[in-house]
Amino acid sequence: MRSLREYIRLYFMIEAQYIKGRMQYRSDFIISSVGMFFSSLATLGIFWVIFDTVPNLAGWSLMEMVFIYAFYMIAISPMQILFDHAWQLRYHVQQGTFLKYYFRPLNMMFYYMSEIFDLKGLTQLVTGIALLIYASIQLHIDWSLWRISLLFIALFSAALVQISIIVAASCAAFWVVNSYPVLGLAWKLREFSPYPMSIFDGAFRFTFTYVIPIGFVAFYPSQLFLRPQDVSSLVYFSPMIGVGLFAITYWIWTKGVNSYTGTGS
Amino acid sequence: MDLDDIEHSFYNRQSLLFLFYFLGKIMSLIHIENLSKHFSILNRREGLGGAFRDLFSGDYRTVKAVDGISFDIDAGEIVGYIGPNGAGKSTTIKMMTGILKPSGGTIEVNGITPYANRIRQAQIMGVVFGQRTQLWWDLPVIESFKILKEIYKVDQKTFDEHMGLFNDLVDLKKLYTQQVRTLSLGQRMLCDITASFLHNPQVVFLDEPTIGLDISVKAKMRSVIKELNQVRNTTIILTTHDLGDVEALCQRIIIIDKGSVLYDGDIKKVNSLFGAYRTLKLQIDGYNDSTLQTLQDAFTQKFGPEHGIAIAATEEFWTDVTIDQARTPLADVLNFIMTTFTVSDVRIVEISMENVVRKVYDGALK
C-alpha cells in the first residue's frame, strides 16, 4: 500500500504538469477566471438588493451575510478545484472510458479526481479570502490564535460536507442512465447554503440540517465567529459530520465502482 | 525489533521471492477454471408505458456472458483471444484485469485473484484498450511517462533502460514534447503500448491494438509488440477482430463464442482454416433472383461437384463467393467469373471472424 505522503507527492507532480499544460491555453484560463469572479460577485449583488429594502435578514446584518458568503466561497473551493472531475463521471461511465481508472495501482477516487485541477476555482478561493478579511475587519472580529485554528477546522469540515454532497450525487451515474438531474439538484442546493437557516420553513430547515446538511457548508460554522455566545451545540459536531459524510460518500463510490461493468467494446 | 531482525526478515523476503519465482516457472501465469459471469438484465418493454411498468418490474433474465471457461496461460506466451461480438471476450478480460467479480469459478493471475486485489493486480499488468488512451491528454508524452514511473515506482536506471528500448523501437524521442492530444492515432497507440510495458508487467492485455490504423502503422505496431514480448518475456493476451494481428503475433489462439471456449490450441491448425478461405464480393450486372442458382450451376459445371465454393447474397446488389483455396484456386474462379458474367465491381476480402467461428462450429477443426 502507498502511504499518504506518496499520494501527496504524486498529486503535486500530476497537478504541476497539468497546470503547465493548461497554461498553454491562456485565454481559456483568463476568461473562465473572470467569469468565475463575476458570478461569485453576482450573489453579493443579490444581498445588496435585499438589504436595500430590509434592514436585516432574520436578524443578520448585511456585513454578517457577507462574512457567511465569504466563508461559503472558501468552503466550496476545494470541491471546485480538487473534485471538479466529478462532473464528468457520467460521461466516463456511459462511454466506457471509466474503465481505465481500474488499471493503475492507485486508489481509484484519487486517480480519477487527480486528472483535473480546476484553475478557475482558485479565483473563487482568493476572492473568498479577500471578502472574509474585509468582512471580519468591518465586523471587528477579534482573531486570536485559537479563533484562527477554529476557522481552519471549520473550513475543513465545511469543505468535506460540500465535497461529499457533490461526489455522492455524481455517483448516481453508476446506477442511473441520465444522472444529471441528481447532480444538478445537489449543485442547486449549494446556493441555499450562504443564507441563515432560520429564514427557511421547518421542513426545509430540517432537510438542510439533517438530511442534506448544506447548513454546515457555511451558515452553522460561521456562527462560531459571528455569534459565539449563542452557537447551537450541533455546530461543534461539524467536523464529525464532515468526516462522516465523506466516509458515506466513499462507501457509495466504492459500491458504484464495484458494480460497474463498463460498456461492450 | 533490532537491526539484525530487520536484516533477517529482509533476507527471508528475498528467499521467499526466489521461491515464488521458481514456483512461477512451474505454475502457469494465468489460471482460469470453470470461470463464469452471469448478468441479470431487466426485460424491458416497449414505449413510454412499458418504461413506466419496467420501474416496478421484477422480470429479469440471466445472461451468461461467460459460461464455464477454463484455460491456463504460461509466462511469455502471446495468446490471441478471439471471437465474434458479444462472445464474452470483454467480460473475460474484465475479470482478468480485476474490474469484474466472477459469478463462479477460479481466476488467478500470478497466484492472486484479480478482483480481490485490484491494486496488486494493476502493478503486475499493463492494459491497452483500443482507441481510448490512458495517457494524460493535456500533458507532453514524456511527462506522462514520468508520472507512470512514479505510479509504478520504477527506479531511474530501469526507467532509462526502458526509454532507451522504446526509442530504438518506435523513435519515441521525437514525440517527447508533444501533448498527447496532438498525436496522431498511430503515434498515440504506439505511446500507449510502450507505456503499458514501462513497469515491466508480467502480463499485458491488448484490446484491438491496431483498430483504425493504416497498414504500415499496423505492421510497425505488430513488430513492436513482438519485440517487447521477446525481449521481456512478457505474456500478452490479444483480443482483436483483425485476423492479420492474430496471424502475425500469436502461437496460440483461444476462440470463444456464446461464453464458451470453442477452440484452444495451436494457431497453425486455425491458420489453414482462415488462410485458405477468401471471399470475392461481386456486383453482377442484371442481378435477379435466379443469379445465385445460375452461379452455382456454372461453378459445378466448371469445377466439378466438389468445388468448395459457397455463394450468398449479403447486401443489396452484392454477391459473396467464398472460396476454399485448397480445392479451387481463387485466380481460376475469378477468371471464370470475369469471362462468363458481366461484373461491374469486385472486392476480395479475408474471411471474417464470424465466418471462422461458423466454420469451427461446423467441425472444421475436428
PDB file of all heavy atoms in Angstrom, chain B residues 197-216:
ATOM      1  N   PHE B 197       4.155  -1.187 -21.160  1.00  0.00           N
ATOM      2  CA  PHE B 197       5.270  -2.086 -20.842  1.00  0.00           C
ATOM      3  C   PHE B 197       6.272  -1.443 -19.882  1.00  0.00           C
ATOM      4  O   PHE B 197       7.235  -2.079 -19.472  1.00  0.00           O
ATOM      5  CB  PHE B 197       6.022  -2.475 -22.127  1.00  0.00           C
ATOM      6  CG  PHE B 197       5.347  -3.563 -22.910  1.00  0.00           C
ATOM      7  CD1 PHE B 197       4.356  -3.270 -23.826  1.00  0.00           C
ATOM      8  CD2 PHE B 197       5.707  -4.896 -22.724  1.00  0.00           C
ATOM      9  CE1 PHE B 197       3.728  -4.271 -24.550  1.00  0.00           C
ATOM     10  CE2 PHE B 197       5.090  -5.901 -23.445  1.00  0.00           C
ATOM     11  CZ  PHE B 197       4.097  -5.598 -24.363  1.00  0.00           C
ATOM     12  N   LEU B 198       6.066  -0.177 -19.543  1.00  0.00           N
ATOM     13  CA  LEU B 198       7.075   0.594 -18.809  1.00  0.00           C
ATOM     14  C   LEU B 198       7.478  -0.040 -17.482  1.00  0.00           C
ATOM     15  O   LEU B 198       8.650  -0.070 -17.130  1.00  0.00           O
ATOM     16  CB  LEU B 198       6.564   2.023 -18.567  1.00  0.00           C
ATOM     17  CG  LEU B 198       7.535   2.915 -17.821  1.00  0.00           C
ATOM     18  CD1 LEU B 198       8.664   3.356 -18.728  1.00  0.00           C
ATOM     19  CD2 LEU B 198       6.834   4.136 -17.260  1.00  0.00           C
ATOM     20  N   HIS B 199       6.517  -0.542 -16.747  1.00  0.00           N
ATOM     21  CA  HIS B 199       6.824  -1.064 -15.411  1.00  0.00           C
ATOM     22  C   HIS B 199       7.146  -2.551 -15.446  1.00  0.00           C
ATOM     23  O   HIS B 199       7.097  -3.218 -14.427  1.00  0.00           O
ATOM     24  CB  HIS B 199       5.663  -0.778 -14.462  1.00  0.00           C
ATOM     25  CG  HIS B 199       4.340  -1.278 -14.966  1.00  0.00           C
ATOM     26  ND1 HIS B 199       3.687  -0.716 -16.035  1.00  0.00           N
ATOM     27  CD2 HIS B 199       3.549  -2.288 -14.543  1.00  0.00           C
ATOM     28  CE1 HIS B 199       2.550  -1.368 -16.240  1.00  0.00           C
ATOM     29  NE2 HIS B 199       2.451  -2.324 -15.354  1.00  0.00           N
ATOM     30  N   ASN B 200       7.490  -3.018 -16.640  1.00  0.00           N
ATOM     31  CA  ASN B 200       7.850  -4.412 -16.840  1.00  0.00           C
ATOM     32  C   ASN B 200       6.804  -5.371 -16.273  1.00  0.00           C
ATOM     33  O   ASN B 200       7.095  -6.202 -15.421  1.00  0.00           O
ATOM     34  CB  ASN B 200       9.207  -4.686 -16.181  1.00  0.00           C
ATOM     35  CG  ASN B 200       9.936  -5.775 -16.918  1.00  0.00           C
ATOM     36  OD1 ASN B 200       9.424  -6.323 -17.900  1.00  0.00           O
ATOM     37  ND2 ASN B 200      11.124  -6.109 -16.450  1.00  0.00           N
ATOM     38  N   PRO B 201       5.570  -5.242 -16.750  1.00  0.00           N
ATOM     39  CA  PRO B 201       4.498  -6.085 -16.212  1.00  0.00           C
ATOM     40  C   PRO B 201       4.678  -7.540 -16.639  1.00  0.00           C
ATOM     41  O   PRO B 201       5.379  -7.812 -17.600  1.00  0.00           O
ATOM     42  CB  PRO B 201       3.251  -5.489 -16.847  1.00  0.00           C
ATOM     43  CG  PRO B 201       3.720  -4.903 -18.128  1.00  0.00           C
ATOM     44  CD  PRO B 201       5.102  -4.391 -17.857  1.00  0.00           C
ATOM     45  N   GLN B 202       4.044  -8.423 -15.904  1.00  0.00           N
ATOM     46  CA  GLN B 202       4.133  -9.834 -16.270  1.00  0.00           C
ATOM     47  C   GLN B 202       3.170 -10.171 -17.383  1.00  0.00           C
ATOM     48  O   GLN B 202       3.402 -11.091 -18.150  1.00  0.00           O
ATOM     49  CB  GLN B 202       3.850 -10.686 -15.046  1.00  0.00           C
ATOM     50  CG  GLN B 202       4.897 -10.453 -13.989  1.00  0.00           C
ATOM     51  CD  GLN B 202       4.715 -11.367 -12.812  1.00  0.00           C
ATOM     52  OE1 GLN B 202       3.625 -11.849 -12.564  1.00  0.00           O
ATOM     53  NE2 GLN B 202       5.782 -11.587 -12.088  1.00  0.00           N
ATOM     54  N   VAL B 203       2.073  -9.421 -17.425  1.00  0.00           N
ATOM     55  CA  VAL B 203       1.088  -9.691 -18.469  1.00  0.00           C
ATOM     56  C   VAL B 203       0.553  -8.369 -19.014  1.00  0.00           C
ATOM     57  O   VAL B 203       0.352  -7.418 -18.267  1.00  0.00           O
ATOM     58  CB  VAL B 203      -0.056 -10.607 -17.942  1.00  0.00           C
ATOM     59  CG1 VAL B 203      -0.710 -10.017 -16.718  1.00  0.00           C
ATOM     60  CG2 VAL B 203      -1.091 -10.862 -19.012  1.00  0.00           C
ATOM     61  N   VAL B 204       0.402  -8.329 -20.331  1.00  0.00           N
ATOM     62  CA  VAL B 204      -0.162  -7.132 -20.957  1.00  0.00           C
ATOM     63  C   VAL B 204      -1.410  -7.543 -21.741  1.00  0.00           C
ATOM     64  O   VAL B 204      -1.385  -8.515 -22.504  1.00  0.00           O
ATOM     65  CB  VAL B 204       0.861  -6.454 -21.890  1.00  0.00           C
ATOM     66  CG1 VAL B 204       0.204  -5.355 -22.710  1.00  0.00           C
ATOM     67  CG2 VAL B 204       2.013  -5.866 -21.093  1.00  0.00           C
ATOM     68  N   PHE B 205      -2.491  -6.823 -21.504  1.00  0.00           N
ATOM     69  CA  PHE B 205      -3.734  -7.075 -22.233  1.00  0.00           C
ATOM     70  C   PHE B 205      -3.861  -6.045 -23.348  1.00  0.00           C
ATOM     71  O   PHE B 205      -3.869  -4.849 -23.081  1.00  0.00           O
ATOM     72  CB  PHE B 205      -4.938  -6.957 -21.296  1.00  0.00           C
ATOM     73  CG  PHE B 205      -4.933  -7.976 -20.197  1.00  0.00           C
ATOM     74  CD1 PHE B 205      -4.362  -7.687 -18.963  1.00  0.00           C
ATOM     75  CD2 PHE B 205      -5.476  -9.231 -20.403  1.00  0.00           C
ATOM     76  CE1 PHE B 205      -4.332  -8.625 -17.950  1.00  0.00           C
ATOM     77  CE2 PHE B 205      -5.454 -10.184 -19.393  1.00  0.00           C
ATOM     78  CZ  PHE B 205      -4.881  -9.885 -18.168  1.00  0.00           C
ATOM     79  N   LEU B 206      -3.940  -6.518 -24.558  1.00  0.00           N
ATOM     80  CA  LEU B 206      -4.092  -5.608 -25.690  1.00  0.00           C
ATOM     81  C   LEU B 206      -5.455  -5.854 -26.319  1.00  0.00           C
ATOM     82  O   LEU B 206      -5.730  -6.948 -26.805  1.00  0.00           O
ATOM     83  CB  LEU B 206      -2.998  -5.853 -26.733  1.00  0.00           C
ATOM     84  CG  LEU B 206      -1.552  -5.684 -26.274  1.00  0.00           C
ATOM     85  CD1 LEU B 206      -0.599  -6.080 -27.384  1.00  0.00           C
ATOM     86  CD2 LEU B 206      -1.291  -4.254 -25.852  1.00  0.00           C
ATOM     87  N   ASP B 207      -6.299  -4.831 -26.271  1.00  0.00           N
ATOM     88  CA  ASP B 207      -7.632  -4.982 -26.830  1.00  0.00           C
ATOM     89  C   ASP B 207      -7.713  -4.157 -28.109  1.00  0.00           C
ATOM     90  O   ASP B 207      -7.645  -2.936 -28.049  1.00  0.00           O
ATOM     91  CB  ASP B 207      -8.662  -4.501 -25.799  1.00  0.00           C
ATOM     92  CG  ASP B 207     -10.084  -4.766 -26.248  1.00  0.00           C
ATOM     93  OD1 ASP B 207     -10.267  -5.606 -27.158  1.00  0.00           O
ATOM     94  OD2 ASP B 207     -11.006  -4.131 -25.727  1.00  0.00           O
ATOM     95  N   GLU B 208      -7.837  -4.798 -29.229  1.00  0.00           N
ATOM     96  CA  GLU B 208      -7.897  -4.118 -30.527  1.00  0.00           C
ATOM     97  C   GLU B 208      -6.775  -3.086 -30.705  1.00  0.00           C
ATOM     98  O   GLU B 208      -7.044  -1.909 -30.957  1.00  0.00           O
ATOM     99  CB  GLU B 208      -9.255  -3.415 -30.699  1.00  0.00           C
ATOM    100  CG  GLU B 208     -10.457  -4.298 -30.560  1.00  0.00           C
ATOM    101  CD  GLU B 208     -10.697  -5.186 -31.781  1.00  0.00           C
ATOM    102  OE1 GLU B 208      -9.915  -5.093 -32.757  1.00  0.00           O
ATOM    103  OE2 GLU B 208     -11.650  -5.977 -31.757  1.00  0.00           O
ATOM    104  N   PRO B 209      -5.512  -3.524 -30.601  1.00  0.00           N
ATOM    105  CA  PRO B 209      -4.441  -2.515 -30.639  1.00  0.00           C
ATOM    106  C   PRO B 209      -4.223  -1.897 -32.009  1.00  0.00           C
ATOM    107  O   PRO B 209      -3.577  -0.858 -32.111  1.00  0.00           O
ATOM    108  CB  PRO B 209      -3.204  -3.302 -30.206  1.00  0.00           C
ATOM    109  CG  PRO B 209      -3.503  -4.708 -30.571  1.00  0.00           C
ATOM    110  CD  PRO B 209      -4.976  -4.873 -30.409  1.00  0.00           C
ATOM    111  N   THR B 210      -4.740  -2.503 -33.051  1.00  0.00           N
ATOM    112  CA  THR B 210      -4.459  -1.951 -34.380  1.00  0.00           C
ATOM    113  C   THR B 210      -5.698  -1.390 -35.058  1.00  0.00           C
ATOM    114  O   THR B 210      -5.667  -1.055 -36.238  1.00  0.00           O
ATOM    115  CB  THR B 210      -3.849  -3.024 -35.302  1.00  0.00           C
ATOM    116  OG1 THR B 210      -4.798  -4.072 -35.464  1.00  0.00           O
ATOM    117  CG2 THR B 210      -2.571  -3.578 -34.739  1.00  0.00           C
ATOM    118  N   ILE B 211      -6.795  -1.256 -34.294  1.00  0.00           N
ATOM    119  CA  ILE B 211      -8.036  -0.818 -34.932  1.00  0.00           C
ATOM    120  C   ILE B 211      -7.883   0.622 -35.434  1.00  0.00           C
ATOM    121  O   ILE B 211      -7.332   1.486 -34.760  1.00  0.00           O
ATOM    122  CB  ILE B 211      -9.228  -0.963 -33.950  1.00  0.00           C
ATOM    123  CG1 ILE B 211     -10.546  -0.905 -34.687  1.00  0.00           C
ATOM    124  CG2 ILE B 211      -9.201   0.069 -32.857  1.00  0.00           C
ATOM    125  CD1 ILE B 211     -11.724  -1.398 -33.862  1.00  0.00           C
ATOM    126  N   GLY B 212      -8.315   0.853 -36.645  1.00  0.00           N
ATOM    127  CA  GLY B 212      -8.286   2.194 -37.213  1.00  0.00           C
ATOM    128  C   GLY B 212      -6.932   2.658 -37.721  1.00  0.00           C
ATOM    129  O   GLY B 212      -6.781   3.803 -38.103  1.00  0.00           O
ATOM    130  N   LEU B 213      -5.936   1.773 -37.707  1.00  0.00           N
ATOM    131  CA  LEU B 213      -4.606   2.195 -38.161  1.00  0.00           C
ATOM    132  C   LEU B 213      -4.380   1.789 -39.614  1.00  0.00           C
ATOM    133  O   LEU B 213      -4.932   0.802 -40.085  1.00  0.00           O
ATOM    134  CB  LEU B 213      -3.531   1.547 -37.291  1.00  0.00           C
ATOM    135  CG  LEU B 213      -3.630   1.834 -35.806  1.00  0.00           C
ATOM    136  CD1 LEU B 213      -2.540   1.098 -35.056  1.00  0.00           C
ATOM    137  CD2 LEU B 213      -3.517   3.328 -35.548  1.00  0.00           C
ATOM    138  N   ASP B 214      -3.537   2.556 -40.313  1.00  0.00           N
ATOM    139  CA  ASP B 214      -3.264   2.151 -41.689  1.00  0.00           C
ATOM    140  C   ASP B 214      -2.223   1.031 -41.707  1.00  0.00           C
ATOM    141  O   ASP B 214      -1.593   0.723 -40.703  1.00  0.00           O
ATOM    142  CB  ASP B 214      -2.861   3.351 -42.555  1.00  0.00           C
ATOM    143  CG  ASP B 214      -1.592   3.997 -42.090  1.00  0.00           C
ATOM    144  OD1 ASP B 214      -0.613   3.264 -41.851  1.00  0.00           O
ATOM    145  OD2 ASP B 214      -1.575   5.239 -41.950  1.00  0.00           O
ATOM    146  N   ILE B 215      -2.081   0.426 -42.868  1.00  0.00           N
ATOM    147  CA  ILE B 215      -1.321  -0.822 -42.965  1.00  0.00           C
ATOM    148  C   ILE B 215       0.111  -0.703 -42.445  1.00  0.00           C
ATOM    149  O   ILE B 215       0.579  -1.567 -41.719  1.00  0.00           O
ATOM    150  CB  ILE B 215      -1.297  -1.304 -44.431  1.00  0.00           C
ATOM    151  CG1 ILE B 215      -2.734  -1.419 -44.912  1.00  0.00           C
ATOM    152  CG2 ILE B 215      -0.494  -2.590 -44.573  1.00  0.00           C
ATOM    153  CD1 ILE B 215      -3.138  -2.688 -45.513  1.00  0.00           C
ATOM    154  N   SER B 216       0.797   0.414 -42.768  1.00  0.00           N
ATOM    155  CA  SER B 216       2.202   0.496 -42.367  1.00  0.00           C
ATOM    156  C   SER B 216       2.329   0.651 -40.854  1.00  0.00           C
ATOM    157  O   SER B 216       3.212   0.063 -40.233  1.00  0.00           O
ATOM    158  CB  SER B 216       2.905   1.640 -43.092  1.00  0.00           C
ATOM    159  OG  SER B 216       2.407   2.868 -42.640  1.00  0.00           O
TER     160      SER B 216
END
